[in-house]
Amino acid sequence: MEEEEPIQNLWQEVRDLTLGTSTQINHLSTPPTPLQFLRDYVSPNKPCLISNAVNHWPATTLWQSTHYLTNTLSSSTVSLHLTPTGRADALSPNPISPSSLCFASAEVKHLPFPDALTQVLESEMGCVGYLQQQNDCFRSEYGSLSKDCDSDFGWASEAFGCLPEAVNLWIGNELSETSFHKDHYENIYAVVSGEKHFLLLPPTDVHRMYIREYPAAEYHYSQDTGKFSLELEEPVRNVPWCSVNPYPSPELKEKEMTKFPLYFNGPRPFEVTVKAGEILYLPSMWFHHVKQSPDSRGLTIAVNYWYDMQFDIKYAYFNFLQSLPHSMLCDPASSGKLGLESQHNISICNSEDESSMGDVTASASDKLVHDADDTAEK
């Protein structure tokens, strides 16, 4: 264990020096000034919870009416993500070799919004619907609702030095869950109805996520049988993804703790519940896992704003840290042998269509295509 001490010291020092040693993040009672936001949160890559930033949005009252939503979007076709368990863009048993895992994406159906919302409301285990297309959908598929929210947050746009690249709408229920992942975006996440429950880990904890490559697969739903099948993509495409499930079932908990000791034996994740009317600032490259609780109708509704991140020296430091293979944590003699394992591990835990960390020259338009979270929920 002595060989692991330097990396474990890093996890703790980041908390001691910047993030705090509790599992809670800072909670601001009002939106910060641009300077405060940049100085205290963006520059140190530190999350925060913000209240009283969206009270003036018409959405906070209008969207409590399901009739208003269906009437406003009556002529809109939207993308409904369907899975058997509510866990899209997550690991699932490989259909060819059930003893191994694959990266499973949802089936996406294009439906009139009223029909799609009905499927979300009527979701149950076996068929779970989630409205969460991550391609700037709030300003396209849901454009009729966009007038109910601000187009951006002025204090955030000034601090970031740009306007949002994408704004996305999320409508789901308690069955939808987003596995651990991270994004190349600065994320301002506003909950309008219901609650979102986040587990957060800083980028320096990358080795605790056990990022590995898994073959991509996609769910297909049969209207005739009412059941899903899971099919591997052809040709084979591998996706780097986080291996840790932070909430294993009781019968699997001991096995999971043995497989992923760096996660379960390391510092506890930061925990934050974002309630209706609150905003979470989720810094770029932070790992996050998301569950949700619905309102009295059975819905959780949120809008998130993706701002482009800065590919600066912090990114370079993280890229180097991530390139160190797990074997180096346990075998200091391998410190000069990065080789193929290092290159394999350099790929990041991202949204489904994002590239590896090496693709730092990807254009803004390329990065707009996020069909994960999430969810991958972002």
Side-chain angles (χ1 to χ4, degrees):
M1 291 296 292
E2 290 182 2
E3 292 84 358
E4 294 182 16
E5 285 184 2
I7 197 74
Q8 291 179 339
N9 288 343
L10 173 64
W11 303 338
Q12 192 58 50
E13 285 177 356
V14 166
R15 288 161 172 78
D16 291 339
L17 297 174
T18 306
L19 303 175
T21 56
S22 78
T23 60
Q24 305 301 308
I25 65 173
N26 287 6
H27 187 176
L28 308 183
S29 59
T30 58
T33 65
L35 177 59
Q36 179 191 5
F37 185 53
L38 179 62
R39 179 192 61 210
D40 296 343
Y41 299 101
V42 179
S43 292
N45 197 238
K46 181 178 178 179
C48 64
L49 183 67
I50 305 169
S51 295
N52 298 306
V54 298
N55 296 351
H56 61 285
W57 282 8
T60 59
T61 54
L62 293 176
W63 293 7
Q64 306 309 314
S65 166
T66 304
H67 174 74
Y68 173 81
L69 295 173
T70 55
N71 185 60
T72 303
L73 296 168
S74 60
S75 59
S76 299
T77 298
V78 298
S79 302
L80 177 68
H81 291 234
L82 293 172
T83 62
T85 63
R87 300 185 72 241
D89 298 314
L91 301 182
S92 181
N94 188 314
I96 304 300
S97 176
S99 61
S100 62
L101 298 172
C102 65
F103 175 79
S105 298
E107 174 171 358
V108 182
K109 293 177 63 177
H110 301 286
L111 300 172
F113 175 79
D115 296 339
L117 185 62
T118 296
Q119 290 207 36
V120 172
L121 287 166
E122 295 179 353
S123 291
E124 57 186 15
M125 289 302 290
C127 186
V128 180
Y130 195 14
L131 291 165
Q132 55 108 30
Q133 189 75 2
Q134 298 165 50
N135 60 352
D136 199 26
C137 67
F138 188 56
R139 298 189 292 201
S140 54
E141 292 184 1
Y142 301 95
S144 299
L145 289 177
S146 61
K147 64 183 183 301
D148 296 337
C149 305
D150 289 341
S151 60
D152 74 310
F153 293 94
W155 45 270
S157 297
E158 186 172 342
F160 295 133
C162 61
L163 294 173
E165 284 200 7
V167 185
N168 303 303
L169 181 68
W170 310 75
I171 304 178
N173 61 25
E174 73 279 3
L175 297 176
S176 293
E177 180 180 331
T178 302
S179 62
F180 264 124
H181 69 286
K182 67 209 263 300
D183 306 304
H184 277 121
Y185 286 102
E186 303 285 0
N187 194 349
I188 305 293
Y189 201 103
V191 175
V192 178
S193 191
E195 297 180 350
K196 296 276 186 174
H197 311 288
F198 287 81
L199 293 180
L200 307 176
L201 284 175
T204 46
D205 288 31
V206 56
H207 292 95
R208 301 177 63 200
M209 293 284 88
Y210 294 87
I211 298 171
R212 296 168 181 167
E213 290 195 348
Y214 298 92
E218 186 175 335
Y219 285 111
H220 297 281
Y221 181 73
S222 170
Q223 294 285 356
D224 295 333
T225 64
K227 295 183 178 181
F228 285 88
S229 61
L230 183 60
E231 300 177 12
L232 294 177
E233 288 186 11
E234 293 185 5
V236 175
R237 178 175 67 92
N238 289 323
V239 176
W241 205 252
C242 304
S243 303
V244 174
N245 173 12
Y247 300 111
S249 59
E251 60 271 18
L252 293 177
K253 185 171 183 177
E254 185 174 345
K255 180 180 178 182
E256 292 292 291
M257 292 180 69
T258 301
K259 285 172 60 179
F260 308 119
L262 296 180
Y263 175 79
F264 287 101
N265 297 333
R268 289 176 57 193
F270 295 88
E271 301 177 44
V272 57
T273 291
V274 188
K275 299 179 181 180
E278 294 181 334
I279 288 174
L280 172 65
Y281 165 54
L282 179 59
S284 58
M285 313 300 281
W286 272 65
F287 295 96
H288 49 290
H289 180 283
V290 193
K291 300 176 93 172
Q292 51 194 20
S293 300
D295 60 18
S296 59
R297 295 169 296 173
L299 295 177
T300 303
I301 307 177
V303 183
N304 86 292
Y305 296 70
W306 271 334
Y307 290 83
D308 194 19
M309 66 173 280
Q310 294 296 315
F311 291 93
D312 54 14
I313 194 168
K314 289 182 294 184
Y315 176 84
Y317 287 149
F318 175 77
N319 202 11
F320 170 75
L321 177 64
Q322 183 171 244
S323 74
L324 303 179
H326 276 88
S327 60
M328 284 190 62
L329 304 186
C330 302
D331 182 11
S334 68
S335 60
K337 303 176 182 177
L338 297 184
L340 292 177
E341 185 174 2
S342 171
Q343 294 177 27
H344 170 82
N345 280 283
I346 201 170
S347 53
I348 65 170
C349 175
N350 257 339
S351 300
E352 174 188 344
D353 288 332
E354 283 191 342
S355 56
S356 72
M357 285 284 282
D359 295 329
V360 298
T361 58
S363 68
S365 59
D366 292 333
K367 291 186 292 175
L368 276 178
V369 184
H370 280 249
D371 292 328
D373 241 125
D374 120 285
T375 210
E377 182 136 7
K378 311 298 190 272

